[in-house]
Amino acid sequence: MSVQFYGWEVVDDGASYTGVLLEPSQRPQNRGVYTMYHGTSVASARLIIANGFKQSSSGMLGRGVYVSRDKKKAASYPKNSSSSNRVVLELRVRVGRVKRIDKDNHPMQLTWHTHGYDTAWVPPKCGMISVKSGMEEDCVFDPKRVTVVAIADAPDTIRTELQELLAKTSKKSGRGDGDSADVCPLCKRKTQQGAQHIKQQCWKCGQNLCILMSKHFCPGRP
């Protein structure tokens, strides 16, 4: 007895919509949007949420905003600080064009942006002496590419305050719930400003499908 299969299954690299996490060892795709993290102090978290990120003046990869897809990496900052003064911000990052920096004294380690790249990516366990933790790290040149979307971790005494500040700031800037008016009933992903996703019928079973669905299997037939 032969069994016929109709449908598809794809692997989402996280670049098509936010909320999907790639493993830190997977290279971020050019022009993708990813969930990343940034560790900072309580005082700095307030400023970042209220006013957005600012470029660091220097660092291993030069100027930019330092982030990571590895939450453990972000949770270790600020260095030499107690847990009561550490906050991890969850971010939406538009990486743009990405340059891999995977060795010490890389020729573009500090100049990648002048070569047309928007983000520098250091893969985990690449052997760079300057990355003692061996964890993944990213540097995004333009702070406008980085948006705070949630409080991933914070002391209990400050978490509610930061969440309320984030909600207030998001609403003021138009990034609150009102900015994503609908959810596609088929793929369950947020639509962009309420614009409906493109729908098609399966050529075999006739079921209505959204082109952004990651998986579809035709119902079994007798």
Side-chain angles (χ1 to χ4, degrees):
M1 176 180 176
S2 62
V3 178
Q4 289 183 308
F5 169 79
Y6 298 96
W8 73 80
E9 184 172 3
V10 298
V11 176
D12 197 318
D13 71 353
S16 58
Y17 77 111
T18 56
V20 171
L21 289 175
L22 279 181
E23 292 296 323
S25 59
Q26 293 176 270
R27 177 175 180 164
Q29 299 299 307
N30 288 336
R31 298 180 299 280
V33 181
Y34 296 98
T35 296
M36 297 192 187
Y37 302 93
H38 177 82
T40 189
S41 66
V42 171
S44 293
R46 290 191 183 104
L47 291 174
I48 291 170
I49 293 171
N51 304 311
F53 279 95
K54 293 183 178 180
Q55 277 188 337
S56 61
S57 58
S58 62
M60 178 190 69
L61 298 169
R63 293 165 53 198
V65 178
Y66 284 79
V67 297
S68 178
R69 280 176 287 158
D70 194 326
K71 187 177 176 181
K72 291 182 180 179
K73 168 87 172 182
S76 66
Y77 287 88
K79 296 295 186 183
N80 303 317
S81 184
S82 66
S83 59
S84 62
N85 191 38
R86 284 180 173 174
V87 175
V88 178
L89 301 175
E90 182 177 326
L91 316 170
R92 182 178 70 239
V93 181
R94 297 181 294 110
V95 295
R97 193 168 176 230
V98 180
K99 178 61 182 177
R100 177 185 175 119
I101 306 293
D102 56 5
K103 62 181 179 180
D104 290 301
N105 301 314
H106 189 287
M108 291 191 195
Q109 185 167 336
L110 299 175
T111 61
W112 46 271
H113 180 67
T114 62
H115 291 270
Y117 294 95
D118 302 294
T119 298
W121 172 57
V122 177
K125 300 179 181 178
C126 64
M128 291 183 69
I129 297 175
S130 50
V131 186
K132 296 180 181 179
S133 67
M135 297 180 181
E136 188 250 19
E137 188 164 344
D138 305 82
C139 181
V140 183
F141 188 81
D142 185 356
K144 292 181 180 179
R145 289 183 171 274
V146 185
T147 303
V148 180
V149 296
I151 310 301
D153 196 14
D156 292 338
T157 54
I158 200 70
R159 181 186 295 272
T160 299
E161 177 196 329
L162 295 179
Q163 289 173 333
E164 291 176 350
L165 178 60
L166 178 59
K168 181 179 179 180
T169 304
S170 297
K171 184 176 181 180
K172 184 177 180 180
S173 63
R175 291 187 283 108
D177 293 337
D179 191 44
S180 54
D182 211 347
V183 173
C184 176
L186 297 177
C187 71
K188 308 304 182 185
R189 301 181 183 185
K190 290 182 179 180
T191 59
Q192 296 296 316
Q193 298 181 346
Q196 296 299 308
H197 291 172
I198 298 174
K199 299 177 178 62
Q200 297 179 346
Q201 282 190 327
C202 174
W203 59 86
K204 183 64 180 179
C205 68
Q207 182 177 332
N208 287 327
L209 308 172
C210 173
I211 64 171
L212 296 182
M213 289 171 61
S214 61
K215 184 184 298 185
H216 167 65
F217 298 105
C218 293
R221 296 193 175 197

